[in-house]
mmCIF file of all heavy atoms in Angstrom:
data_model
loop_
_atom_site.group_PDB
_atom_site.id
_atom_site.type_symbol
_atom_site.label_atom_id
_atom_site.label_comp_id
_atom_site.label_asym_id
_atom_site.label_seq_id
_atom_site.Cartn_x
_atom_site.Cartn_y
_atom_site.Cartn_z
ATOM 1 N N GLY A 137 96.768 25.739 31.088
ATOM 2 C CA GLY A 137 95.748 25.101 31.966
ATOM 3 C C GLY A 137 94.318 25.266 31.491
ATOM 4 O O GLY A 137 93.399 24.850 32.188
ATOM 5 N N GLU A 139 91.562 23.989 29.843
ATOM 6 C CA GLU A 139 91.092 22.684 29.337
ATOM 7 C C GLU A 139 90.110 22.860 28.176
ATOM 8 O O GLU A 139 90.077 22.032 27.252
ATOM 9 C CB GLU A 139 90.409 21.938 30.501
ATOM 10 C CG GLU A 139 89.954 20.544 30.159
ATOM 11 C CD GLU A 139 90.957 19.433 30.465
ATOM 12 O OE1 GLU A 139 91.948 19.708 31.184
ATOM 13 O OE2 GLU A 139 90.778 18.335 29.975
ATOM 14 N N GLN A 143 89.639 20.998 24.340
ATOM 15 C CA GLN A 143 88.411 20.440 23.820
ATOM 16 C C GLN A 143 88.045 21.074 22.474
ATOM 17 O O GLN A 143 87.518 20.404 21.586
ATOM 18 C CB GLN A 143 87.247 20.652 24.832
ATOM 19 C CG GLN A 143 87.417 19.869 26.134
ATOM 20 C CD GLN A 143 87.405 18.342 25.991
ATOM 21 O OE1 GLN A 143 86.924 17.819 24.960
ATOM 22 N NE2 GLN A 143 87.927 17.640 26.962
ATOM 23 N N GLN A 147 87.556 19.186 18.865
ATOM 24 C CA GLN A 147 86.390 19.304 17.999
ATOM 25 C C GLN A 147 86.778 19.711 16.564
ATOM 26 O O GLN A 147 86.232 19.253 15.590
ATOM 27 C CB GLN A 147 85.386 20.325 18.553
ATOM 28 C CG GLN A 147 84.673 19.832 19.847
ATOM 29 C CD GLN A 147 83.986 18.492 19.699
ATOM 30 O OE1 GLN A 147 83.482 18.127 18.624
ATOM 31 N NE2 GLN A 147 83.948 17.693 20.765
ATOM 32 N N LYS A 150 89.092 16.450 15.032
ATOM 33 C CA LYS A 150 88.751 15.030 15.122
ATOM 34 C C LYS A 150 88.337 14.457 13.756
ATOM 35 O O LYS A 150 88.778 13.368 13.408
ATOM 36 C CB LYS A 150 87.670 14.783 16.189
ATOM 37 C CG LYS A 150 86.321 15.382 15.893
ATOM 38 C CD LYS A 150 85.314 15.023 16.991
ATOM 39 C CE LYS A 150 83.952 15.636 16.655
ATOM 40 N NZ LYS A 150 82.943 15.354 17.689
ATOM 41 N N LYS A 151 87.527 15.188 12.999
ATOM 42 C CA LYS A 151 87.077 14.636 11.717
ATOM 43 C C LYS A 151 88.186 14.554 10.670
ATOM 44 O O LYS A 151 88.373 13.479 10.097
ATOM 45 C CB LYS A 151 85.866 15.431 11.202
ATOM 46 C CG LYS A 151 85.183 14.689 10.079
ATOM 47 C CD LYS A 151 83.982 15.431 9.504
ATOM 48 C CE LYS A 151 83.630 14.848 8.145
ATOM 49 N NZ LYS A 151 82.562 15.596 7.477
ATOM 50 N N ASN A 155 89.597 10.906 9.270
ATOM 51 C CA ASN A 155 89.595 10.539 7.868
ATOM 52 C C ASN A 155 90.973 10.216 7.312
ATOM 53 O O ASN A 155 91.144 9.306 6.533
ATOM 54 C CB ASN A 155 88.902 11.629 7.025
ATOM 55 C CG ASN A 155 87.396 11.496 7.071
ATOM 56 O OD1 ASN A 155 86.854 10.649 6.378
ATOM 57 N ND2 ASN A 155 86.753 12.241 7.925
ATOM 58 N N ARG A 159 91.656 6.494 6.066
ATOM 59 C CA ARG A 159 92.102 6.218 4.690
ATOM 60 C C ARG A 159 93.438 5.488 4.697
ATOM 61 O O ARG A 159 93.730 4.722 3.802
ATOM 62 C CB ARG A 159 92.219 7.527 3.896
ATOM 63 C CG ARG A 159 90.873 8.040 3.503
ATOM 64 C CD ARG A 159 90.956 9.338 2.737
ATOM 65 N NE ARG A 159 89.625 9.694 2.216
ATOM 66 C CZ ARG A 159 89.043 10.865 2.364
ATOM 67 N NH1 ARG A 159 89.680 11.845 3.007
ATOM 68 N NH2 ARG A 159 87.856 11.100 1.863
ATOM 69 N N ARG A 164 87.577 1.016 10.253
ATOM 70 C CA ARG A 164 86.905 2.076 10.960
ATOM 71 C C ARG A 164 87.192 2.041 12.465
ATOM 72 O O ARG A 164 87.455 3.082 13.075
ATOM 73 C CB ARG A 164 85.403 1.948 10.702
ATOM 74 C CG ARG A 164 84.566 3.066 11.182
ATOM 75 C CD ARG A 164 85.024 4.392 10.580
ATOM 76 N NE ARG A 164 84.319 5.490 11.221
ATOM 77 C CZ ARG A 164 83.150 5.955 10.833
ATOM 78 N NH1 ARG A 164 82.560 5.432 9.786
ATOM 79 N NH2 ARG A 164 82.566 6.945 11.451
ATOM 80 N N GLU A 168 89.324 4.892 14.653
ATOM 81 C CA GLU A 168 88.813 5.684 15.766
ATOM 82 C C GLU A 168 89.733 5.555 16.991
ATOM 83 O O GLU A 168 90.044 6.554 17.623
ATOM 84 C CB GLU A 168 87.380 5.261 16.113
ATOM 85 C CG GLU A 168 86.418 5.544 14.957
ATOM 86 C CD GLU A 168 85.041 6.019 15.386
ATOM 87 O OE1 GLU A 168 84.662 5.811 16.551
ATOM 88 O OE2 GLU A 168 84.334 6.595 14.529
ATOM 89 N N GLU A 169 90.198 4.374 17.234
ATOM 90 C CA GLU A 169 91.145 4.133 18.354
ATOM 91 C C GLU A 169 92.393 4.977 18.165
ATOM 92 O O GLU A 169 92.866 5.641 19.084
ATOM 93 C CB GLU A 169 91.560 2.634 18.425
ATOM 94 C CG GLU A 169 90.414 1.703 18.720
ATOM 95 C CD GLU A 169 90.228 1.416 20.179
ATOM 96 O OE1 GLU A 169 90.832 2.127 21.014
ATOM 97 O OE2 GLU A 169 89.489 0.473 20.519
ATOM 98 N N GLN A 172 91.843 8.729 18.542
ATOM 99 C CA GLN A 172 91.754 9.096 19.980
ATOM 100 C C GLN A 172 93.147 9.092 20.615
ATOM 101 O O GLN A 172 93.460 9.934 21.423
ATOM 102 C CB GLN A 172 90.826 8.109 20.696
ATOM 103 C CG GLN A 172 89.365 8.398 20.364
ATOM 104 C CD GLN A 172 88.439 7.232 20.650
ATOM 105 O OE1 GLN A 172 88.866 6.142 20.927
ATOM 106 N NE2 GLN A 172 87.139 7.477 20.550
ATOM 107 N N TYR A 179 97.346 15.742 24.432
ATOM 108 C CA TYR A 179 97.062 16.100 25.820
ATOM 109 C C TYR A 179 98.306 15.942 26.682
ATOM 110 O O TYR A 179 98.669 16.809 27.477
ATOM 111 C CB TYR A 179 95.937 15.217 26.361
ATOM 112 C CG TYR A 179 95.385 15.634 27.681
ATOM 113 C CD1 TYR A 179 94.321 16.536 27.774
ATOM 114 C CD2 TYR A 179 95.950 15.159 28.878
ATOM 115 C CE1 TYR A 179 93.820 16.923 28.985
ATOM 116 C CE2 TYR A 179 95.454 15.561 30.117
ATOM 117 C CZ TYR A 179 94.379 16.432 30.167
ATOM 118 O OH TYR A 179 93.893 16.828 31.371
ATOM 119 N N ARG A 180 98.959 14.810 26.521
ATOM 120 C CA ARG A 180 100.148 14.512 27.312
ATOM 121 C C ARG A 180 101.336 15.385 26.967
ATOM 122 O O ARG A 180 102.257 15.534 27.757
ATOM 123 C CB ARG A 180 100.559 13.005 27.134
ATOM 124 C CG ARG A 180 99.620 12.073 27.868
ATOM 125 C CD ARG A 180 100.054 10.661 27.615
ATOM 126 N NE ARG A 180 99.508 9.771 28.623
ATOM 127 C CZ ARG A 180 99.396 8.485 28.485
ATOM 128 N NH1 ARG A 180 99.803 7.898 27.407
ATOM 129 N NH2 ARG A 180 98.872 7.750 29.476
ATOM 130 N N LEU A 230 77.466 8.239 1.678
ATOM 131 C CA LEU A 230 77.493 8.281 0.206
ATOM 132 C C LEU A 230 76.047 8.118 -0.320
ATOM 133 O O LEU A 230 75.604 8.889 -1.150
ATOM 134 C CB LEU A 230 78.385 7.132 -0.290
ATOM 135 C CG LEU A 230 78.645 7.124 -1.811
ATOM 136 C CD1 LEU A 230 79.504 8.292 -2.197
ATOM 137 C CD2 LEU A 230 79.319 5.825 -2.206
ATOM 138 N N SER A 250 83.738 2.048 -7.657
ATOM 139 C CA SER A 250 84.960 2.795 -7.890
ATOM 140 C C SER A 250 85.611 3.145 -6.561
ATOM 141 O O SER A 250 86.817 3.030 -6.385
ATOM 142 C CB SER A 250 84.663 4.086 -8.622
ATOM 143 O OG SER A 250 83.850 3.832 -9.709
ATOM 144 N N VAL A 254 89.284 2.281 -5.380
ATOM 145 C CA VAL A 254 90.237 3.297 -4.906
ATOM 146 C C VAL A 254 90.853 2.868 -3.592
ATOM 147 O O VAL A 254 92.073 2.965 -3.392
ATOM 148 C CB VAL A 254 89.527 4.674 -4.740
ATOM 149 C CG1 VAL A 254 90.395 5.643 -3.979
ATOM 150 C CG2 VAL A 254 89.156 5.236 -6.105
ATOM 151 N N TYR A 274 93.999 14.342 -0.183
ATOM 152 C CA TYR A 274 92.790 14.587 0.631
ATOM 153 C C TYR A 274 92.924 15.766 1.574
ATOM 154 O O TYR A 274 91.929 16.367 1.973
ATOM 155 C CB TYR A 274 92.421 13.336 1.396
ATOM 156 C CG TYR A 274 91.977 12.197 0.488
ATOM 157 C CD1 TYR A 274 92.850 11.143 0.214
ATOM 158 C CD2 TYR A 274 90.749 12.191 -0.118
ATOM 159 C CE1 TYR A 274 92.473 10.118 -0.646
ATOM 160 C CE2 TYR A 274 90.358 11.175 -0.981
ATOM 161 C CZ TYR A 274 91.225 10.120 -1.231
ATOM 162 O OH TYR A 274 90.870 9.118 -2.080
ATOM 163 N N TYR A 279 103.826 20.074 -0.561
ATOM 164 C CA TYR A 279 104.956 19.114 -0.461
ATOM 165 C C TYR A 279 105.919 19.463 0.674
ATOM 166 O O TYR A 279 106.399 18.582 1.379
ATOM 167 C CB TYR A 279 105.759 19.075 -1.772
ATOM 168 C CG TYR A 279 105.004 18.456 -2.931
ATOM 169 C CD1 TYR A 279 105.430 18.673 -4.236
ATOM 170 C CD2 TYR A 279 103.900 17.650 -2.735
ATOM 171 C CE1 TYR A 279 104.763 18.089 -5.335
ATOM 172 C CE2 TYR A 279 103.217 17.076 -3.820
ATOM 173 C CZ TYR A 279 103.643 17.293 -5.107
ATOM 174 O OH TYR A 279 102.990 16.746 -6.149
ATOM 175 N N HIS A 298 104.909 11.055 -6.664
ATOM 176 C CA HIS A 298 104.960 10.690 -8.077
ATOM 177 C C HIS A 298 104.814 9.180 -8.248
ATOM 178 O O HIS A 298 103.985 8.693 -9.020
ATOM 179 C CB HIS A 298 106.299 11.172 -8.655
ATOM 180 C CG HIS A 298 106.425 11.032 -10.141
ATOM 181 N ND1 HIS A 298 106.368 12.101 -10.976
ATOM 182 C CD2 HIS A 298 106.585 9.953 -10.945
ATOM 183 C CE1 HIS A 298 106.490 11.684 -12.239
ATOM 184 N NE2 HIS A 298 106.637 10.367 -12.211
ATOM 185 N N LYS A 301 101.297 7.982 -7.251
ATOM 186 C CA LYS A 301 100.285 8.253 -8.239
ATOM 187 C C LYS A 301 100.373 7.267 -9.419
ATOM 188 O O LYS A 301 99.358 6.784 -9.933
ATOM 189 C CB LYS A 301 100.393 9.696 -8.746
ATOM 190 C CG LYS A 301 99.838 10.687 -7.755
ATOM 191 C CD LYS A 301 99.883 12.108 -8.259
ATOM 192 C CE LYS A 301 99.224 13.064 -7.265
ATOM 193 N NZ LYS A 301 99.316 14.462 -7.678
ATOM 194 N N LYS A 305 97.475 4.669 -10.420
ATOM 195 C CA LYS A 305 96.965 4.657 -11.777
ATOM 196 C C LYS A 305 97.036 3.232 -12.371
ATOM 197 O O LYS A 305 96.091 2.751 -12.985
ATOM 198 C CB LYS A 305 97.771 5.617 -12.677
ATOM 199 C CG LYS A 305 97.256 5.763 -14.076
ATOM 200 C CD LYS A 305 98.318 5.756 -15.133
ATOM 201 C CE LYS A 305 99.294 4.605 -15.032
ATOM 202 N NZ LYS A 305 100.199 4.411 -16.105
ATOM 203 N N LEU A 308 94.360 1.027 -10.664
ATOM 204 C CA LEU A 308 93.011 1.381 -11.090
ATOM 205 C C LEU A 308 92.771 1.012 -12.554
ATOM 206 O O LEU A 308 91.683 0.539 -12.882
ATOM 207 C CB LEU A 308 92.785 2.882 -10.880
ATOM 208 C CG LEU A 308 92.598 3.342 -9.424
ATOM 209 C CD1 LEU A 308 92.338 4.839 -9.371
ATOM 210 C CD2 LEU A 308 91.487 2.597 -8.725
ATOM 211 N N GLU B 57 107.729 11.000 -17.354
ATOM 212 C CA GLU B 57 108.157 11.465 -16.044
ATOM 213 C C GLU B 57 107.541 12.820 -15.679
ATOM 214 O O GLU B 57 107.286 13.124 -14.538
ATOM 215 C CB GLU B 57 109.690 11.562 -15.960
ATOM 216 C CG GLU B 57 110.319 10.218 -15.622
ATOM 217 C CD GLU B 57 111.825 10.210 -15.814
ATOM 218 O OE1 GLU B 57 112.436 11.289 -15.898
ATOM 219 O OE2 GLU B 57 112.385 9.107 -15.895
ATOM 220 N N ASP B 64 99.467 18.225 -12.647
ATOM 221 C CA ASP B 64 99.299 19.007 -11.407
ATOM 222 C C ASP B 64 99.644 20.490 -11.572
ATOM 223 O O ASP B 64 99.644 21.251 -10.618
ATOM 224 C CB ASP B 64 100.167 18.399 -10.265
ATOM 225 C CG ASP B 64 99.682 17.005 -9.878
ATOM 226 O OD1 ASP B 64 98.512 16.690 -10.202
ATOM 227 O OD2 ASP B 64 100.445 16.253 -9.243
ATOM 228 N N GLU B 66 102.559 21.802 -12.282
ATOM 229 C CA GLU B 66 103.810 22.152 -11.600
ATOM 230 C C GLU B 66 104.950 22.534 -12.542
ATOM 231 O O GLU B 66 106.035 22.876 -12.104
ATOM 232 C CB GLU B 66 104.253 20.985 -10.694
ATOM 233 C CG GLU B 66 103.365 20.779 -9.473
ATOM 234 C CD GLU B 66 103.544 19.437 -8.830
ATOM 235 O OE1 GLU B 66 104.307 18.590 -9.357
ATOM 236 O OE2 GLU B 66 102.898 19.218 -7.780
ATOM 237 N N GLU B 88 98.086 7.607 -21.555
ATOM 238 C CA GLU B 88 98.654 7.546 -20.212
ATOM 239 C C GLU B 88 98.146 8.708 -19.351
ATOM 240 O O GLU B 88 97.723 8.542 -18.208
ATOM 241 C CB GLU B 88 100.191 7.573 -20.299
ATOM 242 C CG GLU B 88 100.924 7.646 -18.981
ATOM 243 C CD GLU B 88 101.088 6.294 -18.296
ATOM 244 O OE1 GLU B 88 100.708 5.273 -18.925
ATOM 245 O OE2 GLU B 88 101.592 6.279 -17.168
ATOM 246 N N SER B 98 89.032 9.577 -9.580
ATOM 247 C CA SER B 98 88.305 8.558 -8.798
ATOM 248 C C SER B 98 88.726 8.576 -7.331
ATOM 249 O O SER B 98 87.953 8.133 -6.461
ATOM 250 C CB SER B 98 88.459 7.180 -9.399
ATOM 251 O OG SER B 98 89.816 6.873 -9.559
ATOM 252 N N LEU B 99 89.890 9.137 -7.028
ATOM 253 C CA LEU B 99 90.311 9.269 -5.624
ATOM 254 C C LEU B 99 89.290 10.122 -4.853
ATOM 255 O O LEU B 99 89.057 9.916 -3.686
ATOM 256 C CB LEU B 99 91.691 9.892 -5.496
ATOM 257 C CG LEU B 99 92.898 9.050 -5.924
ATOM 258 C CD1 LEU B 99 94.194 9.788 -5.630
ATOM 259 C CD2 LEU B 99 92.926 7.703 -5.215
ATOM 260 N N LEU B 101 86.237 10.103 -5.143
ATOM 261 C CA LEU B 101 84.971 9.401 -4.871
ATOM 262 C C LEU B 101 84.917 8.846 -3.430
ATOM 263 O O LEU B 101 83.867 8.460 -2.932
ATOM 264 C CB LEU B 101 84.791 8.225 -5.822
ATOM 265 C CG LEU B 101 84.413 8.565 -7.256
ATOM 266 C CD1 LEU B 101 84.434 7.308 -8.114
ATOM 267 C CD2 LEU B 101 83.047 9.224 -7.292
ATOM 268 N N TRP B 102 86.097 8.813 -2.835
ATOM 269 C CA TRP B 102 86.165 8.252 -1.493
ATOM 270 C C TRP B 102 85.738 9.330 -0.502
ATOM 271 O O TRP B 102 86.541 10.146 -0.077
ATOM 272 C CB TRP B 102 87.579 7.763 -1.210
ATOM 273 C CG TRP B 102 87.688 6.919 -0.001
ATOM 274 C CD1 TRP B 102 86.721 6.608 0.910
ATOM 275 C CD2 TRP B 102 88.865 6.252 0.444
ATOM 276 N NE1 TRP B 102 87.194 5.801 1.874
ATOM 277 C CE2 TRP B 102 88.499 5.562 1.629
ATOM 278 C CE3 TRP B 102 90.165 6.176 -0.009
ATOM 279 C CZ2 TRP B 102 89.426 4.797 2.354
ATOM 280 C CZ3 TRP B 102 91.069 5.445 0.700
ATOM 281 C CH2 TRP B 102 90.713 4.733 1.876
ATOM 282 N N ASP B 103 84.479 9.342 -0.169
ATOM 283 C CA ASP B 103 83.907 10.367 0.713
ATOM 284 C C ASP B 103 84.464 10.301 2.126
ATOM 285 O O ASP B 103 84.826 9.247 2.619
ATOM 286 C CB ASP B 103 82.375 10.187 0.809
ATOM 287 C CG ASP B 103 81.696 10.747 -0.433
ATOM 288 O OD1 ASP B 103 82.420 11.169 -1.368
ATOM 289 O OD2 ASP B 103 80.469 10.757 -0.479
ATOM 290 N N ALA B 104 84.464 11.464 2.742
ATOM 291 C CA ALA B 104 84.898 11.549 4.135
ATOM 292 C C ALA B 104 83.879 10.858 5.048
ATOM 293 O O ALA B 104 82.694 10.862 4.752
ATOM 294 C CB ALA B 104 85.062 12.989 4.531
ATOM 295 N N VAL B 105 84.335 10.265 6.112
ATOM 296 C CA VAL B 105 83.449 9.625 7.068
ATOM 297 C C VAL B 105 83.249 10.540 8.274
ATOM 298 O O VAL B 105 84.054 11.442 8.529
ATOM 299 C CB VAL B 105 83.990 8.253 7.570
ATOM 300 C CG1 VAL B 105 84.077 7.253 6.419
ATOM 301 C CG2 VAL B 105 85.345 8.415 8.251
ATOM 302 N N GLU B 106 82.143 10.320 8.980
ATOM 303 C CA GLU B 106 81.876 11.091 10.200
ATOM 304 C C GLU B 106 82.336 10.222 11.392
ATOM 305 O O GLU B 106 82.206 9.016 11.387
ATOM 306 C CB GLU B 106 80.382 11.348 10.354
ATOM 307 C CG GLU B 106 79.817 12.356 9.367
ATOM 308 C CD GLU B 106 80.357 13.778 9.574
ATOM 309 O OE1 GLU B 106 80.652 14.115 10.735
ATOM 310 O OE2 GLU B 106 80.466 14.520 8.577
ATOM 311 N N SER B 108 81.975 8.181 14.718
ATOM 312 C CA SER B 108 80.802 7.460 15.160
ATOM 313 C C SER B 108 80.144 8.173 16.333
ATOM 314 O O SER B 108 80.731 9.048 16.958
ATOM 315 C CB SER B 108 81.165 6.019 15.548
ATOM 316 O OG SER B 108 82.041 6.054 16.639
ATOM 317 N N PHE B 111 81.994 8.414 19.618
ATOM 318 C CA PHE B 111 83.419 8.755 19.501
ATOM 319 C C PHE B 111 83.833 9.709 20.641
ATOM 320 O O PHE B 111 84.854 9.474 21.318
ATOM 321 C CB PHE B 111 83.681 9.405 18.128
ATOM 322 C CG PHE B 111 85.142 9.734 17.888
ATOM 323 C CD1 PHE B 111 86.021 8.791 17.478
ATOM 324 C CD2 PHE B 111 85.610 11.039 18.101
ATOM 325 C CE1 PHE B 111 87.368 9.087 17.252
ATOM 326 C CE2 PHE B 111 86.932 11.363 17.875
ATOM 327 C CZ PHE B 111 87.824 10.377 17.471
ATOM 328 N N ASP B 112 83.073 10.777 20.830
ATOM 329 C CA ASP B 112 83.412 11.788 21.862
ATOM 330 C C ASP B 112 83.360 11.179 23.277
ATOM 331 O O ASP B 112 84.252 11.403 24.059
ATOM 332 C CB ASP B 112 82.447 12.973 21.805
ATOM 333 C CG ASP B 112 82.785 13.914 20.650
ATOM 334 O OD1 ASP B 112 83.379 13.440 19.669
ATOM 335 O OD2 ASP B 112 82.458 15.108 20.765
ATOM 336 N N PHE B 115 86.227 8.926 23.900
ATOM 337 C CA PHE B 115 87.459 9.709 24.061
ATOM 338 C C PHE B 115 87.521 10.346 25.441
ATOM 339 O O PHE B 115 88.582 10.320 26.089
ATOM 340 C CB PHE B 115 87.578 10.768 22.971
ATOM 341 C CG PHE B 115 88.774 11.670 23.174
ATOM 342 C CD1 PHE B 115 90.077 11.146 23.029
ATOM 343 C CD2 PHE B 115 88.613 12.963 23.581
ATOM 344 C CE1 PHE B 115 91.157 11.951 23.264
ATOM 345 C CE2 PHE B 115 89.724 13.784 23.819
ATOM 346 C CZ PHE B 115 90.989 13.259 23.656
ATOM 347 N N GLN B 116 86.408 10.942 25.874
ATOM 348 C CA GLN B 116 86.421 11.601 27.198
ATOM 349 C C GLN B 116 86.706 10.591 28.308
ATOM 350 O O GLN B 116 87.361 10.914 29.279
ATOM 351 C CB GLN B 116 85.087 12.336 27.471
ATOM 352 C CG GLN B 116 84.774 13.480 26.475
ATOM 353 C CD GLN B 116 85.867 14.541 26.348
ATOM 354 O OE1 GLN B 116 86.656 14.753 27.272
ATOM 355 N NE2 GLN B 116 85.935 15.210 25.225
ATOM 356 N N LYS B 118 88.597 7.912 27.971
ATOM 357 C CA LYS B 118 90.041 7.623 27.893
ATOM 358 C C LYS B 118 90.828 8.781 28.506
ATOM 359 O O LYS B 118 91.823 8.579 29.199
ATOM 360 C CB LYS B 118 90.481 7.456 26.442
ATOM 361 C CG LYS B 118 90.073 6.128 25.826
ATOM 362 C CD LYS B 118 90.556 6.019 24.386
ATOM 363 C CE LYS B 118 90.137 4.716 23.760
ATOM 364 N NZ LYS B 118 90.545 4.621 22.342
ATOM 365 N N ARG B 123 93.976 11.466 32.962
ATOM 366 C CA ARG B 123 94.071 12.473 34.033
ATOM 367 C C ARG B 123 94.398 11.861 35.368
ATOM 368 O O ARG B 123 95.110 12.394 36.178
ATOM 369 C CB ARG B 123 92.739 13.227 34.145
ATOM 370 C CG ARG B 123 92.503 14.208 33.036
ATOM 371 C CD ARG B 123 91.374 15.123 33.393
ATOM 372 N NE ARG B 123 90.947 15.919 32.250
ATOM 373 C CZ ARG B 123 89.836 15.714 31.569
ATOM 374 N NH1 ARG B 123 89.039 14.708 31.908
ATOM 375 N NH2 ARG B 123 89.519 16.466 30.560
ATOM 376 N N GLU B 126 98.193 10.063 35.192
ATOM 377 C CA GLU B 126 99.232 10.761 34.428
ATOM 378 C C GLU B 126 99.762 11.920 35.244
ATOM 379 O O GLU B 126 99.487 13.086 34.984
ATOM 380 C CB GLU B 126 98.627 11.262 33.109
ATOM 381 C CG GLU B 126 99.632 11.908 32.165
ATOM 382 C CD GLU B 126 100.605 10.940 31.551
ATOM 383 O OE1 GLU B 126 100.449 9.719 31.740
ATOM 384 O OE2 GLU B 126 101.513 11.404 30.892
ATOM 385 N N THR B 129 102.977 14.930 33.872
ATOM 386 C CA THR B 129 102.933 16.133 33.040
ATOM 387 C C THR B 129 102.169 17.258 33.708
ATOM 388 O O THR B 129 102.733 18.086 34.398
ATOM 389 C CB THR B 129 102.333 15.818 31.649
ATOM 390 O OG1 THR B 129 101.064 15.171 31.842
ATOM 391 C CG2 THR B 129 103.244 14.937 30.853
ATOM 392 N N ARG B 130 100.847 17.247 33.489
ATOM 393 C CA ARG B 130 100.081 18.401 33.959
ATOM 394 C C ARG B 130 100.004 18.502 35.464
ATOM 395 O O ARG B 130 100.079 19.568 36.030
ATOM 396 C CB ARG B 130 98.674 18.375 33.375
ATOM 397 C CG ARG B 130 98.703 18.380 31.875
ATOM 398 C CD ARG B 130 97.347 18.701 31.304
ATOM 399 N NE ARG B 130 96.834 19.943 31.791
ATOM 400 C CZ ARG B 130 97.297 21.141 31.437
ATOM 401 N NH1 ARG B 130 98.283 21.219 30.595
ATOM 402 N NH2 ARG B 130 96.747 22.231 31.899
#
Side-chain angles (χ1 to χ4, degrees):
Chain A
E139 183 93 14
Q143 294 295 342
Q147 291 305 328
K150 67 178 180 181
K151 193 181 163 185
N155 277 282
R159 285 179 172 131
R164 188 58 187 273
E168 296 218 341
E169 296 268 12
Q172 285 160 350
Y179 190 91
R180 286 179 160 160
L230 187 69
S250 313
V254 168
Y274 295 102
Y279 291 163
H298 188 106
K301 285 183 175 176
K305 185 223 50 170
L308 287 181
Chain B
E57 276 169 17
D64 294 343
E66 290 164 355
E88 174 82 5
S98 54
L99 288 185
L101 286 174
W102 193 356
D103 281 5
V105 296
E106 289 294 330
S108 63
F111 183 81
D112 282 27
F115 175 68
Q116 298 304 335
K118 285 181 181 176
R123 285 195 191 105
E126 186 70 7
T129 53
R130 301 194 57 72

